[in-house]
Structure formats: C-alpha cells, structure tokens
Amino acid sequence: TQSNCIVTSKYNILTFLPVNLFEQFQEVANTYFLFLLILQLIPQISSLSWFTTIVPLALVLSITAVKDATDDYFRHKSDNQVNNRQSQVLIRGSLQNEKWMNVKVGDVIKLENNQFVAADLLLLSSTEPHGLCYIETAELDGETNMKVRQSVSVTAELGDPNNLASFDGEVVCEPPNNKLDRFCGTLYWREKKYPLTNQNMLLRGCVLRNTEACYGLVIFAGPDTKLMQNSGRTKFKRTSIDQYHLREVGSLFQSYLPWDPPVDNFMFSAFLSFWSYIIILNTVVPISLYVSVEVIRLGHSYFINWDRQMFCSRCNTAAESRTTTLNEELGQVEYIFSDKTGTLTQNIMTFNKCSINGQTYGEVDPLGKQRKRLDFTPFNPLANPDFCFYDEKLLESVKVGDLHTHEFFRLLSLCHTVMSEEKSEGELVYKAQSPDEGALVTAARNFGFVFRSRTPGTITTIEMGRTVTYSLLAILDFNNIRKRMSVIVRSPEGRICLYCKGADTVLLERLHPCNQELMSITSDHLNEYGADGLRTLALAYRELSEDEWEAWSESHRCADKATDCREDRLAAAYDKIEQDMKLLGATAIEDKLQEGVPETIALLSLANIKIWVLTGDKQETAVNIGYSCKMLTDDMTEVFIIGGHTVQSVRQELRSAIVCRHQRDCTSGRGSKQLHCSSFPPSASGDMDSISGEFALIISGHSLAHALEADMEAEFVSTACACKAVICCRVTPLQKAQVVELIKKHKKAVTLAIGDGANDVSMIKSAHIGVGISGQEGIQAVLASDYSFAQFRFLQRLLLVHGRWSYLRMCRFLCYFFYKNFAFTMVHFWFGFFCGFSAQTVYDQYFITLYNIVYTSLPVLAMGVFDQDVPDHRSLEYPKLYEPGQLNLLFNKKEFFICITQGIYTSVVLFFVPYAVLSDATQSNGVPLADYQTFTVTTATALVIVVSVQIALDTGFWTVFNHMFVWGSVGSYFTIMFALHSQTLFRIFPNQFRFIGSAQNTLLQPVVWLTIALATAICVVPVLAFRFLKLDLKPQLSDTVRHTQLARQKRRKPAGRSMGRLGARGGSRRSGYAFSHQEGFGELITSGKNMRLSSLALANFASKHSSSWIETLRRKKNNHTPPSTSGECSPAPSNMSGMGPALSNSSSVLGGSQETPIEEETDTAVVLSSLSHPAASEPAEPRAPAQVAPADSSTSAAARTDSPGGWTRSLETVQVSCFFS
C-alpha cells in the first residue's frame, strides 16, 4: 500500500559523504584536479610539490559539501514539518490522531474547517446538508475563490464514525496522473455501482473552508497524489557562462602541449615529458578559478540580500538569494513566465466605479487632490467598515431617493449566489463563491441595500432601513457561454422582476430599443473603465406580467426535466426571457495589481524581455489583467485568441494568425481587435520575427494541450515568440512547466519563472531561474525557488541591476583571469624551446604556488565583486544596457580568443624582452646578468607589474578594497620575494631556500628596471591604443551613458519632466468583462442543499477575508507628455525605479518622444544613436508608444538627483573608468 510520506531531500547521515563526493567528482573540473594531484605524487613526472593542488581542491570540496548539506537540511526540515502534521484517522470504529506519513490508501480521514487535505480523498460525507463542502484550491491552481464539492448521495448520510466504520465499498479508478480537473472512477457498494467524478474528490493541497467537518476515503497518497504528480523534479542548474568556459578550456587546453613525435629510444622520456608539461601548464585553468567564481557569486548573493530597495516594509520581507550559482544568468534573461493571481495582482477586489442612468461615479478629483473616504456608519449601521469609496455624489443620490440608483443597488443585493450568516446582531458575514460577487454585494450593503439572508425560495434584504423579503422564483445560472446570470423575484407588493448582470458584449444586445441613447453613454463609460483595466459588468432589468411569468415558468420546467439536451434547452429558455431589458448601468471592479506592476512590465519590455502570463484563471480575467498591467494595449495591431477544442481547429487558428500577421503587415491600420477565426486557410509558418507591428496571443488550456503536441509545437512557438505578449489561460501546473521547457528547447534562451503558489512549483523548477513571491498562498513557491522577494516590482531591480552587474562582473573576471594565467603559463612554453623541453620551470615553485593565491587573487576578486560600468539608477533608466547579456556579447568565442591572444602576446613580451636584454647585459662590476635567477626575478616582477596595471585599466569602479588589493598585492609580492631570498630562511631551511640575496641583487640593477619598464610599455600601450580607437569609432551604450554622467556632473541644470499617464488607451472598443464565477451555484441555492452553515465556519471565513479589504483607492495620474521627436538610444523613465529623472525619452527605447533634451547631451547625440554592439546598426523593430506614469511625489529629492558617490571615487582614474572597461 502506498505510503503518504513525502521525501524531497537527497541525503541522510550515512549517504551524505559518499553521495556528495560522487556528485562533486562528476564535475569535470574536480576530476581533472584530482588527476593532477595523483600525477604530482609521482616524483619522476612532477617538478612541483603536491600541496599546490591538494589544498585548493580540499577547500573547494569542503565549501561545496557544506553548502549542499545546508540546503538538504532545510529540505529535511520541510519534509518533517509536512509529514508530521496530524490527521484524524478512523481506526477500528474510533478516530485516532495519526501523522500524515502514516496515512495509507483505504484509510478514512476526518477533516475539520481550515485544515489542509492530507491526501487525495473521495468525499464520503459532510456536516453540511447533502454532503456538500467548500474548499480553497490556491495551492493547486492559484485561485482563492471557494469551490464546492459534493459526496455521492449514497454515502452522504454516513456522518457518524460508527456508520463509516462499517463502510466496505470498493473504488476502481484511473491510475495516478497529473490532471487536476478530471477524475474517473466507480464506487461499488451494496451490489450497486456509482460513478465518481472530480466533483467528489478533495485533492491534497486544498484547504477545507466554511465547513465544520467532513470525512474522506484516501484514494491516492504520497507521490501518487495529483499535487506531487504536478511537481517537477529538482534540477541542477548551471549558468551558460559555466558551460561555455568549461567547454572552451577543455578544447583549447591541449593545443599548446609540447609533444614531440616519439623515437624508439626516447619513448618513455617523451611520455614523462608530456605529463610533466600537463602539470606545469595546468595553471592556465587553476583550481583557484573555481574558488574565485564561488566567492564572487557569494558576494553577489549578499548584495541581493542586503538591497534595501528590494525590502518590503509592509510585510517585513527582504529579498533572498537562495542559490549562489545563477547570479550572472540573471543578466541574460530573455523570457519571463509569470503567474497572475498573487504575483501580478493582490487578488483583492474593490468596488471602484459605477455608471447609473448615464451618470458615472467614483472618478478621481481632476485636480488630483486626495478625497476623503466616506463614512457609512451614520447612514447605515450595517455597513462594512472595511469598504472604501470616495465619491460623495453617489451617497447623496441614494439619500435623496433617486429611483435609478435604488434599483441599481437593489439589483446588486438580489442578483447573486452569496450566502450570509449573522454571527451577532448587525455583524454580517458573506460567503461569496467569487471575490467579484463579494465586492458587489458589499457595495450594495454599504449604500443601504443590505443582503441579510436567503432560503431556497426567498431573499431577505434591508432597503434603506426597511426589511423586505422577496420570493425567489428562479435563478438563471451563470456559465462561460452565457456570460451572465439573472434572478426572477416577486416583491411583497406582487411586482415580478427579472434582474440580470453580465458581460456588456452579450447584455447590451438584449436591451429594449428605447435604451439606445443610454446605451451609448454607458458604453463610453464602460470603455473608460476598461481602459483603466477595471473588471466591468453591465446591469439591466425587466418587469414581467403574471402571464409572462407563468408561460415562461412552464417552458422552463419542461426544459429542466428533459432527459436529452437538457443544457441546450435550459439555455434556450433563459435566452427567451432575457430580452427587451432596460439598462440600469454598469459596475467597475478593480482586481488590485501589486504596486509597480505596469511600470515593471514596461521597463522589462524595453530591455527586450518577453513576458508570458501562465494562469489557471479564466480567459476574461486574464485578459483584463493583461490590459491593467499594460501587457495588452489598444495600440496593438492584433490580439489573437486560440480557443479550439480539437487538434485541427487549433492548427487552423495558429495558421490563420500567421496569415493575419502577414496581411496586417501590408496595411497601416492599427487597433486592438480580438480575432475569432472561423475559416482558416492553410499556411506554413515562416520567419515571423521580421513582421512589423505588435501582436498578442491568448490561448486556453485545452487548446494549449494540442499546441504542445510534437507535430504542432514548432508552429505554436513560431507564432507565440513573434508576439509581444502571450497569455495562457486555464493551464495546469504541468502545462506551465511544459511551456517553459518548450521555449528552452526551441529558442535556446535563458528563461525565468515567477510565481507565489504551489501550482507554480513545476514552472519554477523547469526554468533556468525560479523566483518565488512570498505572498498569501503559502511558501511552496519560495522553497522551490532560486530567488525570492515580496513584490513583483522588485524583479526589475533583480534583473536590470543585480543581474546585469553580475553578468558584467563575471565576464570581466573571466576575461582577465584567463589573460593573466595565459600570460603567466605560456612563459614556460617559450622557455621549453631553450631548455630542451625538460619541464624546467621559469619561476620557482613558491612563485607558482602563490601567483594565483596571493599575488593576483584579491585584485580580480575585488573587480568581480564590486565593479560596475554605470550606477544602478542608470541601469534602470537605460534598459537597453541589458541587451549585451542577452546576446552574450561580453564573454563568447570572440572575447575568449581576444583575452587568450592578449595573454599569449604578453607572455611573448615577458619572456623574450628580458631574454634579449639580459643576455648581453652586465652589472656595474662587469659580471654578466645572464643567469637563471636574475632572469626569473626579472620576468616574475615584470609579470606582476603588468597584470596589476592591466587590472587597473580594466576596473571601472574604484573602491577602497580595489585600491587596497591592487597595490597591496604588488607590495606583498616584493615583501614575500625578499623574504624568500633572505638569510633568515636560509638558516632555518638551507635545502629549500638556497638563493640568498638574488632578489636584492637583481633589483638593484638599473638595467633590470629599464627592462621591466620596457616590457610593461610594450604590453600596455597597444591595449590603450586599441581601446581609444574602439571608443572613438564604435562606442558602446555604456560608454555614452558614462560620458553623459560626467557631463551632467560638470554642468547641472534642472530639467522639468512631464510624463504622461501610463498606457492611456482610447479609440477602440473592448469589453472589460471579467467574472470569476462558476456554474452550478444557482441550482444548489434553489434546491436548498447549501442553506445550513455553521457559525464556526463563517467566523473563520470572516477572519480570513474581511481584513483583506485595503484602505486606499488606486491613484490616477492625469499628466500627459506632448509628442515630439528624439534620438535613438536614450533612457527609460526613471520613475519606474523610483530613483531619478530620465535623461530623455526615446522613440526607439520608450516608443514615445523626447520632450526637452538636456543641453549636455547634444554633443553626444551621434553616439546616442548607436547601441552597445554592432547589431545596433540594424533597423530597430517598431514599437508602440508606451507612456509611463510619473514617479511618486513622495520620492525624496536625493533620490531624484544623480548620486556621485561611485563616480567621484573614480575621478582620479577618469580615463580608465570611462574608456577602458
């Protein structure tokens, strides 16, 4: 029988050491250095001591082992926490507490309110009527709205443990799978069989809500549960830079090994020489490289952890780097895959605006003044104190008795499926199946129309202080096809009325012709609300005569009792009565975005990062959020919707999208139009990246299942990747991971996945980089992630600042590291031609040992940890600076070859210049200088000075540590060298330190210093000349930004900025409808099955949801930027980061225009017109205008000015820091 124990850890006490060492020696580098260590233990081969390799190797293995042990400790801790949770299991007729790990298939478990479901259960019975229970599935699909489950009718009455103990049914079902939305099985009991569906199942990870208790039979346990089936395996992630330098070093390493063709008598000698030179030349890739890389990555991780600008004070959560191996990969991201609920949004619905009889309410003060929040308590003692509204006109309209306003809120208080319970006098608790309905009913409650209670046949409200009970005649239920719901009620006066709310696209078609003028005005309001990203519903009503009601009631009864095509007949009956209605108005609900989401998405888009939203939500909700966060705009050429249910229909829709893109490319018309293709000519997918215009793709989960099939995935990737925005709706956790894997497979691009719930874990594990949001859906996403923080907006700083800097630093570190080691090692190669390839070394073994550990380690570490080309706020203002990482321009075959060539050139100079000079030089007393020790000291000294000067030129940002390490390393070299040639060490170790005074004697000779100076000049001057020419002929964007930075510091002039509101859309008409409601609640209400609710359950519901209504409305910015023209590469608006003003607004970067150019920048206009790489000369892809809201007025003055700190520190090396990094 399958156990319910979950194991995600890798080691235990006994297996840790062997398994971890086995894993570490699977790394080629570790195996290579172990092999070198073995060779160095053979005296006939090695001319170096074994300690030069074993010490750094042991250090690397120990550090890695400690890190792996720490990570696995937290996995054990998490596993133990989950496995040791308590469950009540029915054992021999009584309930006993058992740990989750001991639960087995076939056990009967009792769940109580707010408990997590321990395994996949078949619901047997519940304390609610008719075996109903309510669950929250946020851990599975990210949705926090309530879902209903119902037991099989035959087991619904087995609520007593004694009855359940006698239950001996047998369940036959499908094998374990990852499909969250389906279950197929059969219950055999008492010689009868009963079909089982997903509506009878409680899945592991769900939480029981608003239900006192229920009992379930364990069907799947442990790894067989659907939650675990959707959890991808933990993968070892390696950066592309790691893979590249290991591959290149391995392929190039043997190219310089001396291997003379063996002659018969010298075979063994040649064999020994070969291995001897492997040992000598291994310093090209010393083990200190891997130690240094880990130290640099650790430093970058601490910078992320310490970044106060990524700290969320509201939830007291700092950013956390949970890995140290992926920092530079953050600077190369091309695709971001994001969850919606809890990641982009707060999942908090607020009643924001409304339109009643042509009058709109809830608008922000045109002058931008903060309005006072309305106090409803004096007017309505039953008002919800957490409800926020600011427009006094609406409250006054209610107070004066406006008939249309009263009818509007009467509709909201009656047309819904909300359940209510009064815990105490005046303390109402609403249980809404969707947060939308909760917001609407709460709004009606505060404006004097309080929904009080319901029975299967009545609805009781309090209207302006008067209790009114309506007879509930019918509920015309909601579904995704109808996109509306209606109720038919009879008032105490006998008035029969149909109230309807739904999508404006379907409801406005059913209005009476007399509503044309009002419909036009309301449509304008709906368009405005939709442009603001609000979720809209249209409201209408119709009065019915008694005869009309009787006739329709009979047809409805017949349709309801039909045995065939029941759903179609009911839909036809509903459609018949929902005609000739009168328009009341519209509502606008805000699904509140997290702070800074639109700005972050806009900024990342300017950095050429494509963002895909993968959500379990319905299409309308996802599309609305897409418009809210400005992923979708009305300026887009086309929004393609793929919704086919068959392989053929999905293929046709994808091909039609390709055809439409080509056709749109030939026309100049633009506008947001949602395409539902009915006839699709066949077309092959071509290269779509060259097509102009901005497109978006929206695809549903059932269509995505077909699109991910092997024969169609290439077409899907081609179409989707050519779109600016992609939204996948109703996707399962596994489909999220499959989409990520698809992009990794076809595009070979670095991917990042970000989410906040357990349903995002598979996606986070599949992507190159996983980011967890520490939100309201648990910590599963954070535990599976590589990085975590509290707000989506911190992603811009993680990528554009920390990621870009990490990539830049690592590339500069690697280039310099290979340069200095080739310069160091290749001297041995040239010396081999003069020593008969005897494996004699140029330097003594102490210099060889200390070169990478002491003399050159700290300066390159300081550069790798602290270096930066531009300050952080400039990185955010110029998102185009991010592109070199995506194109891998800073460390590739070309750059690797350049640094190796420079290193080989330096080694040639360092060997042959001293050799040529010293071969004929003499001391002042006539003694020749052409001895081995003089040559060794001269070459070693020249090497240390040359590589120190080179790193001084390469360093772009000087700190105290850089100065201390660079000049301190040179000083340490001379100190150690003089000590090694001193009499003191000779007296103590006469056999080890034989060359007394060699260093002092050599460095007292003027010709030696002239030789060192000549070698340094020959090595450095060509590099200076090359970099000056490169800066003059082909400057990078970072060079231009630095030049502008210095110009601004010299000549500061305040320049006013007037940035427009983000993404104001107009012109085209689209529905803002989004309603996260489910079909079936109307039937439950009218049947009376869900009328009894426990006080405890609703109290818990209230404590969970009532505190979540926030106190402020979204601030609206009404400033607009006047259009003009500008140059090419200029900064993105700095208000996105909250750091400082933009330098300019560019048509190619922002898609907008430059308002007022800065005077200092006029002399660099030509430079600004080019990007930081040769590809910049190609025509830029047209972008739609994207205006960005101005920075918060609370931003400090200091934050709006350029911080000169880092640049002031580098003024003493202005030439170096500006032109040679």
Side-chain angles (χ1 to χ4, degrees), residues 992-1144:
Q992 297 294 326
F993 304 97
R994 302 171 183 173
F995 302 101
I996 306 172
S998 294
Q1000 294 88 333
N1001 183 59
T1002 300
L1003 296 179
L1004 286 174
Q1005 306 302 317
V1007 67
V1008 171
W1009 285 106
L1010 289 173
T1011 303
I1012 293 173
L1014 178 62
T1016 303
I1018 296 175
C1019 290
V1020 172
V1021 170
V1023 177
L1024 291 176
F1026 173 77
R1027 294 188 179 181
F1028 268 115
L1029 288 173
K1030 182 180 178 182
L1031 180 67
D1032 187 51
L1033 300 177
K1034 201 177 274 189
Q1036 296 181 346
L1037 181 59
S1038 57
D1039 300 324
T1040 306
V1041 173
R1042 283 200 301 271
H1043 180 77
T1044 305
Q1045 170 86 11
L1046 293 176
R1048 286 167 64 88
Q1049 287 182 353
K1050 293 177 181 178
R1051 185 180 178 184
R1052 292 183 179 275
K1053 286 189 177 182
R1057 289 291 179 267
S1058 176
M1059 301 299 296
R1061 188 183 64 174
L1062 177 63
R1065 302 193 310 278
S1068 64
R1069 173 77 176 93
R1070 73 169 185 86
S1071 172
Y1073 160 75
F1075 193 48
S1076 56
H1077 202 48
Q1078 285 187 323
E1079 183 178 5
F1081 264 63
E1083 186 176 348
L1084 283 173
I1085 289 173
T1086 53
S1087 66
K1089 291 181 178 180
N1090 62 341
M1091 287 299 118
R1092 181 170 61 83
L1093 296 167
S1094 67
S1095 298
L1096 174 62
L1098 285 172
N1100 288 328
F1101 176 81
S1103 65
K1104 178 177 184 298
H1105 289 278
S1106 63
S1107 62
S1108 67
W1109 297 96
I1110 62 176
E1111 300 294 327
T1112 60
L1113 289 174
R1114 186 166 58 112
R1115 294 188 297 271
K1116 299 293 294 177
K1117 306 293 184 182
N1118 292 320
N1119 300 333
H1120 296 278
T1121 304
S1124 63
T1125 59
S1126 72
E1128 173 78 1
C1129 283
S1130 43
S1134 62
N1135 60 290
M1136 292 178 181
S1137 63
M1139 298 291 298
L1143 294 184
S1144 65

Side-chain angles (χ1 to χ4, degrees), residues 445-487:
R445 168 183 174 179
N446 277 59
F447 282 101
F449 288 77
V450 184
F451 165 61
R452 194 72 180 255
S453 63
R454 70 160 75 241
T455 68
T458 64
I459 298 177
T460 301
T461 63
I462 298 178
E463 298 181 356
M464 305 300 292
R466 182 173 63 93
T467 301
V468 181
T469 300
Y470 292 87
S471 298
L472 180 60
L473 303 180
I475 294 181
L476 285 59
D477 208 0
F478 170 89
N479 65 34
N480 284 329
I481 298 175
R482 284 169 37 77
K483 295 184 180 180
R484 62 190 184 277
M485 74 162 292
S486 302
V487 295

Side-chain angles (χ1 to χ4, degrees), residues 533-554:
L534 303 178
R535 302 155 66 100
T536 60
L537 288 174
L539 311 183
Y541 74 103
R542 174 187 176 185
E543 292 189 17
L544 302 176
S545 66
E546 194 71 36
D547 293 339
E548 287 176 320
W549 157 246
E550 290 294 342
W552 181 84
S553 177
E554 182 61 31

Side-chain angles (χ1 to χ4, degrees), residues 744-998:
K744 289 170 63 177
K745 172 183 174 183
H746 287 274
K747 303 303 289 185
K748 307 298 182 185
V750 177
T751 59
L752 181 146
I754 179 170
D756 71 321
N759 60 311
D760 304 314
V761 169
S762 297
M763 174 177 70
I764 287 172
K765 289 181 177 179
S766 297
H768 292 97
I769 302 167
V771 178
I773 299 287
S774 48
Q776 302 178 1
E777 296 185 18
I779 60 171
Q780 282 80 1
V782 172
L783 293 176
S785 67
D786 304 305
Y787 302 90
S788 66
F789 41 71
Q791 295 284 324
F792 181 84
R793 61 188 170 93
F794 296 145
L795 186 61
Q796 59 174 295
R797 190 165 178 84
L798 181 70
L799 298 184
L800 302 187
V801 177
H802 293 288
R804 201 183 72 82
W805 277 352
S806 294
Y807 173 74
L808 172 78
R809 291 163 176 167
M810 186 59 68
C811 291
R812 288 185 175 180
F813 163 81
L814 290 174
C815 288
Y816 175 78
F817 200 95
F818 285 120
Y819 154 75
K820 76 180 182 68
N821 280 291
F822 266 84
F824 165 62
T825 304
M826 290 303 290
V827 173
H828 293 300
F829 182 75
W830 312 126
F831 187 57
F833 289 100
F834 297 86
C835 69
F837 289 105
S838 62
Q840 173 68 36
T841 60
V842 176
Y843 319 108
D844 64 76
Q845 65 176 0
Y846 298 104
F847 181 84
I848 294 174
T849 302
L850 297 175
Y851 177 76
N852 280 306
I853 296 177
V854 177
Y855 301 151
T856 61
S857 61
L858 294 180
V860 72
L861 276 179
M863 182 177 71
V865 172
F866 299 109
D867 201 32
Q868 54 183 261
D869 54 349
V870 296
D872 53 356
H873 56 284
R874 292 294 182 225
S875 296
L876 294 168
E877 289 174 1
Y878 289 87
K880 284 293 181 184
L881 288 169
Y882 190 79
E883 287 191 0
Q886 296 172 322
L887 301 173
N888 200 23
L889 297 179
L890 302 185
F891 190 76
N892 48 38
K893 288 187 177 182
K894 175 184 173 183
E895 296 297 326
F896 188 66
F897 176 76
I898 289 174
C899 68
I900 287 178
T901 303
Q902 185 184 356
I904 295 175
Y905 167 76
T906 302
S907 70
V908 170
V909 173
L910 292 176
F911 179 81
F912 287 102
V913 169
Y915 181 84
V917 173
L918 296 179
S919 60
D920 296 325
T922 59
Q923 300 182 22
S924 57
N925 56 7
V927 177
L929 282 174
D931 63 273
Y932 174 75
Q933 276 300 310
T934 300
F935 179 74
T936 297
V937 171
T938 303
T939 305
T941 304
L943 173 65
V944 171
I945 292 175
V946 167
V947 297
S948 297
V949 171
Q950 184 64 47
I951 199 170
L953 296 177
D954 287 347
T955 301
F957 182 79
W958 284 85
T959 66
V960 173
F961 297 103
N962 293 87
H963 284 289
M964 186 169 59
F965 290 162
V966 171
W967 314 126
S969 295
V970 176
S972 68
Y973 163 73
F974 286 105
T975 302
I976 294 173
M977 183 178 62
F978 287 133
L980 292 176
H981 294 84
S982 66
Q983 291 187 6
T984 304
L985 283 180
F986 172 74
R987 293 192 189 102
I988 301 173
F989 305 103
N991 293 327
Q992 297 294 326
F993 304 97
R994 302 171 183 173
F995 302 101
I996 306 172
S998 294

Side-chain angles (χ1 to χ4, degrees), residues 497-523:
C497 197
L498 177 144
Y499 292 107
C500 179
K501 67 181 180 185
D504 52 288
T505 52
V506 297
L507 194 140
L508 297 182
E509 299 172 354
R510 290 165 170 76
L511 298 180
H512 193 275
C514 68
N515 288 263
Q516 288 300 321
E517 183 178 353
L518 178 59
M519 185 172 66
S520 177
I521 299 173
T522 305
S523 295

